[in-house]
Every structure is written in C-alpha cells, then in structure tokens.
Amino acid sequence: MPYGTVGGAHEIASRLGHSAAAIRAIADQRTFHVPAEAIQDLDSIRKRIRPRGDFAAPPVPHRLTAALAIDGSHVVEQVRDGLPSVLYGFAQAAAAYVDLGVMESQRAERFVDPYKIERAVNTALITLDLPVSGAYVRAEVDIVTSWREVINELFRQKKIDVNRLDQPLMDLLFLLHGVPGAPAATVPVNCPTQDCKKDVPVPPAGADCDVCGVHLFPTDVLRIHEEVGEEGTNQSALGRLMSVIELLVLVGLATLLWEQSRHKALPTTLFIVDGPLAVFGTPAKLRGRALEYFQGMGTTAPGEAPYIEPELLGCLHDRVADVSGVEVAADDVGLALSAAEETASLVGEVVY
C-alpha cells in the first residue's frame, strides 16, 4: 500500500479485513444450536405477553416521571509505531437523566419541539485514560504496581459533576462501602504481596501493610490489578474498571436523589444500566455491597425504585421477536438509554 512506515517500508494491507465474511461462510457450513432460532411453543409465549392497554394506569403520585440511564465504553489502541506491545486505554461512562413527562407530551404533538426535547435531557460524562500494557506510569515499577498507582490517582481526580453532585470516584467508593448518608471510614484491602495479610483496613489516604510494609491504596479493594499481566492487552482489566465506574455513577446519582427528594423523585425514577447489572471478575464483591447499599436506601424511601437491565430486555427481543407487542416494553427504556449511549459511546461506536 502507498503508505510509509516508521521503518521506511510500505504499509502491509491487513490480513483480517475479510475475517467477518470468511468466518460467517464457515459458520454457514456448520451445524450448531441457536436457542433464539428454536422457539418451540410460540403460543405459550403469547399468553405471557400483555399489551399496555391491559394494565390500569397507576395513581398519578406513583407514575414514572423520569428515567436515569448509565452506559459506558472502552477501547485499547497501539500508540507507538514499531512497538505493537505498547497499548494505551481509554474508558468513559455517561449518565442521562430524561424527563419522561416532557417526552410523553411531545409524543402527542404533531411536530416535536427540539428545544423542549433538549431541555428534557441532562447528561454527564466521566472519562479516564491510562497505559495498559508495555508502558508504565513511571520507571522502575512493574505493570501491576503501575495499574495500582494510576487507578488510585484517577479515583482521586475524576469527579461526577452534575447538578449538586460534585464528588470524586474515591468518595463514592467509600460511600458504597458504608450506608446511605454515611461513608465507611476504611475499606478492606487484600495486600497485593504474595502470602501476606488479607483484609487490611485502609483509610482514604492509604496505609502501609503492617506485615510487609507495602503501601496500600483504597482502590486496591477493587483487585483489578490481579487481572493485569506483562503480556497481553489487559483489555479485560480495563473493562472491569469501566464496570466499576458505571456502578459508582449509579450510586452517586441515586444517592443524590435520595438526599434531595427521597419521597417524591426517587420512587418515580426509572434507573437503567446498560449491560449486566452484576460486576464480574475480581471486583465482583462490589455487587453485594451495592445490593446492601440500595436496600438500605429503600428502607427510608416510600415504594420501590424500579431498576431494569437492558441486557435482559435484549434477550427478550431475541426470543420473542415475532410476537406482536413486545416492543412496547422498550419505549421508556430506549428514550433514556439512547441518550446515555450517544454520550458514552466512542466515535463511530454504539456499545450494547
């Protein structure tokens, strides 16, 4: 190809440009089972699906008035010509708050008002970047220490800045380990040194391990550094980090509503997190912490705040795509989720 490289040679055409077509052709010649293509009893599914008209509208004080959607995306790219092992990562998470009352009123109009639509959506974005492989935050450290230090620094610097919420990720991490309105004083950290003391209580400023003396960061509680290696892209670790940030954004915004309007706005807001609600891998314990936190929040607020996981909704679409009326379930979800995806997605990419 007529492009020069850093070594003076010509750029070679990618060998993977035809991979999608080639793999699909191979798959078409194989026999395998796809559950979404093998629905046996459509009648039983139809009986379980009811149109919106079958349900009586709830009393006005209990109707949904807003939706808050959270979505994220991440990417890892080569950043040094001639050094393919040097990779840099970028991740971001966005939240979109949608006034459903305005959206529903515009649906009834012959022509929508772009100004009202814009005013009905309020978005916030948090971004972070870090060297993920083949590069380090400073000299004379390994990749695990590099990740530990950079995550600690990012959690101290990056904030969720929307309305009256202006908290760094570190504050939200301690809040999640406490109870609504009262963050924890310490978080339990497993010392990264092999065969050393576990569950060391670490305050926000950090602490030294009283056994081996290694300095511990509060963000070590996430254990993301345990998935990092000198070889490979470490993209899965970056994905874990993005999932944690999405969860902390949810915690921060839900807490904001709980503090400001727990009796009015919180019970009538639909919370949406795109992708699995569970946190997988090394930071999986956060899922249990989040469950306890939201249950504690629910004991002081009337009713039940509705949560939905669009990944499950996507499975529903896959399995009953031919059943009339199923798309009704996605109406209000799509309004908020599309706003979050537009804010969180990378250029040319929509993340589901």
Side-chain angles (χ1 to χ4, degrees), residues 252-273:
L253 295 177
T255 303
L256 180 66
L257 287 177
W258 179 81
E259 292 175 344
Q260 296 182 355
S261 184
R262 72 186 67 174
H263 297 289
K264 184 178 179 180
L266 181 62
T268 59
T269 299
L270 174 67
F271 294 86
I272 309 166
V273 178

Side-chain angles (χ1 to χ4, degrees), residues 62-321:
H62 297 158
R63 293 181 186 177
L64 291 176
T65 60
L68 197 155
I70 298 169
D71 188 23
S73 61
H74 67 283
V75 65
V76 172
E77 294 291 346
Q78 298 178 13
V79 292
R80 289 291 187 272
D81 292 337
L83 298 173
S85 63
V86 179
L87 304 174
Y88 203 82
F90 178 85
Q92 57 187 6
Y97 183 85
V98 179
D99 187 330
L100 296 180
V102 174
M103 292 296 187
E104 289 293 334
S105 66
Q106 287 298 298
R107 180 181 294 181
E109 299 292 335
R110 182 179 181 185
F111 301 106
V112 298
D113 187 336
Y115 177 76
K116 290 184 178 180
I117 295 293
E118 181 181 9
R119 298 275 296 187
V121 180
N122 187 12
T123 61
L125 179 67
I126 183 168
T127 65
L128 56 87
D129 59 275
L130 69 160
V132 298
S133 181
Y136 307 85
V137 69
R138 58 186 177 88
E140 299 180 354
V141 295
D142 58 12
I143 194 66
V144 171
T145 303
S146 179
W147 270 73
R148 291 179 57 232
E149 291 185 2
V150 74
I151 291 176
N152 172 69
E153 192 63 27
L154 288 171
F155 270 56
R156 296 184 186 279
Q157 294 177 352
K158 299 297 181 177
K159 295 183 177 182
I160 302 173
D161 186 7
V162 57
N163 292 339
R164 280 174 280 182
L165 178 65
D166 185 21
Q167 290 182 290
L169 293 174
M170 188 69 76
D171 289 356
L172 296 178
L173 181 64
F174 277 85
L175 183 62
L176 181 58
H177 283 81
V179 296
T186 62
V187 293
V189 170
N190 288 341
C191 180
T193 304
Q194 189 73 19
D195 300 327
C196 191
K197 185 177 179 179
K198 308 301 180 183
D199 293 335
V200 180
V202 177
D208 294 336
C209 177
D210 54 8
V211 176
C212 67
V214 169
H215 187 72
L216 304 176
F217 304 112
T219 48
D220 289 339
V221 69
L222 303 176
R223 299 173 55 200
I224 293 176
H225 58 272
E226 295 181 13
E227 292 196 19
V228 175
E230 295 287 354
E231 304 293 337
T233 65
N234 292 324
Q235 188 163 0
S236 63
L238 184 61
R240 306 290 192 211
L241 180 59
M242 186 197 70
S243 297
V244 169
I245 294 173
E246 289 178 345
L247 178 61
L248 294 180
V249 170
L250 174 62
V251 168
L253 295 177
T255 303
L256 180 66
L257 287 177
W258 179 81
E259 292 175 344
Q260 296 182 355
S261 184
R262 72 186 67 174
H263 297 289
K264 184 178 179 180
L266 181 62
T268 59
T269 299
L270 174 67
F271 294 86
I272 309 166
V273 178
D274 193 13
L277 290 178
V279 179
F280 298 101
T282 47
K285 287 185 178 181
L286 282 189
R287 186 262 180 193
R289 304 295 311 184
L291 181 60
E292 294 177 4
Y293 185 86
F294 288 124
Q295 287 175 342
M297 187 182 295
T299 59
T300 59
E304 297 179 356
Y307 292 82
I308 190 167
E309 180 180 353
E311 183 165 288
L312 297 182
L313 186 64
C315 294
L316 178 66
H317 274 275
D318 287 342
R319 293 183 178 276
V320 292

